[in-house]
Amino acid sequence: MTEAKPKRRTKAQQRAESLEQILDAAELLFSQRGLYGVTLKDVAQQAGVHTSLLHYYFEDKKAMFDAVFARRAAVTADLRMAALDRYAGECRGKPTVEGALRAFLDTDLDLYIQGGEGWRNFAALGAQVAMAPKWGAKLFDDHFDAVVLKLIGLLKQALPDCPEEDIFWGYHFVTGSLVMTLARTGRIDELSHGLCKSEDFPAVKARMARFLAFGFEGICRDRAEARAAAKG
């Protein structure tokens, strides 16, 4: 019997594979050097393609960066929205702060635990974008506002007597903790003399949601006690 010849890839398949190759290369470089530390020539060399191919797919470097970010941002946003929706159904209108935070944070952290180096590159890239006040904030607005507002809605349900500004400040501290974790700076490695490691996403997952839940609950409790004392 003669072996069947492998099917030739269609042009559409070849283009899709070529684009993924370029996005993977760009993601790696951007995660290491940032938007302004990478040139189109750098990406072409990393991907093993001619620079002209990059111009075929992207108007300029910023368009390429946006495409790199959007590729995985859409995945994590969709997964977290689904997790929050699922939790909202399971809790039957009685969410807890920790439960809502776990749906939001643990779902994201699982991608960095299980998704391989590509997702870890995206983690570092996301931390950079989060710290860019103008264009970075716009990318986060476009990709994550809906899922963040879903989380905030659940937190308001969990803490119905908590002032709204404290919920938003609490989320501000949540995202700050997550961004520092995703950046993997190695600082905790040095401070702890290796006891804790920036790469240890499972250790983060085991602690982060619960730790932050106590913060929300403590602030809201303190505010309630202060209001009661003022009335007293």
Side-chain angles (χ1 to χ4, degrees):
M1 294 179 63
T2 59
E3 291 186 7
K5 293 183 179 180
K7 291 183 178 180
R8 295 183 61 182
R9 293 173 300 163
T10 66
K11 289 186 177 180
Q13 289 172 326
Q14 292 175 20
R15 285 195 295 270
E17 290 173 9
S18 178
L19 179 58
E20 285 297 299
Q21 183 180 349
I22 291 168
L23 292 174
D24 285 344
E27 182 178 62
L28 172 63
L29 294 177
F30 286 136
S31 73
Q32 295 172 342
R33 307 181 201 169
L35 171 61
Y36 300 110
V38 176
T39 66
L40 291 178
K41 183 178 179 181
D42 294 333
V43 176
Q45 290 178 341
Q46 181 70 29
V49 300
H50 195 276
T51 309
S52 61
L53 187 59
L54 273 58
H55 291 291
Y56 172 79
Y57 286 115
F58 306 105
E59 181 180 352
D60 54 26
K61 183 174 69 171
K62 181 58 168 57
M64 178 191 294
F65 187 96
D66 290 349
V68 167
F69 187 80
R71 178 175 61 157
R72 296 193 200 271
V75 174
T76 181
D78 288 348
L79 287 175
R80 283 188 281 179
M81 184 65 83
L84 289 167
D85 284 339
R86 189 163 53 251
Y87 177 67
E90 292 169 352
C91 73
R92 299 178 182 275
K94 296 181 178 179
T96 65
V97 175
E98 184 176 346
L101 289 174
R102 284 203 175 278
F104 182 81
L105 293 170
D106 291 5
T107 303
D108 195 44
L109 291 168
D110 280 342
L111 288 170
Y112 310 121
I113 294 169
Q114 302 165 8
E117 195 56 31
W119 272 100
R120 291 184 173 232
N121 290 338
F122 177 75
L125 182 65
Q128 292 180 29
V129 172
M131 297 302 292
K134 295 182 180 179
W135 59 267
K138 180 65 166 58
L139 277 178
F140 265 67
D141 292 345
D142 290 345
H143 290 286
F144 297 128
D145 272 8
V147 69
V148 168
L149 291 173
K150 178 71 175 182
L151 169 65
I152 288 172
L154 285 170
L155 292 172
K156 288 179 180 179
Q157 279 185 267
L159 298 165
D161 298 324
C162 192
E164 190 174 30
E165 65 266 30
D166 287 335
I167 301 289
F168 281 99
W169 276 119
Y171 173 73
H172 181 72
F173 303 142
V174 167
T175 195
S177 298
L178 183 58
V179 165
M180 177 59 73
T181 296
L182 299 186
R184 292 178 292 158
T185 64
R187 179 155 169 73
I188 193 172
D189 309 54
E190 294 295 324
L191 289 170
S192 70
H193 300 290
L195 183 63
C196 305
K197 299 185 184 300
S198 294
E199 301 282 343
D200 193 352
F201 285 113
V204 173
K205 180 183 173 182
R207 295 165 174 82
M208 182 180 279
R210 186 155 179 78
F211 178 87
L212 292 167
F214 278 106
F216 273 98
E217 292 162 357
I219 288 293
C220 293
R221 183 178 60 249
D222 290 349
R223 296 270 281 182
E225 290 173 355
R227 287 197 305 271
K231 291 179 181 177

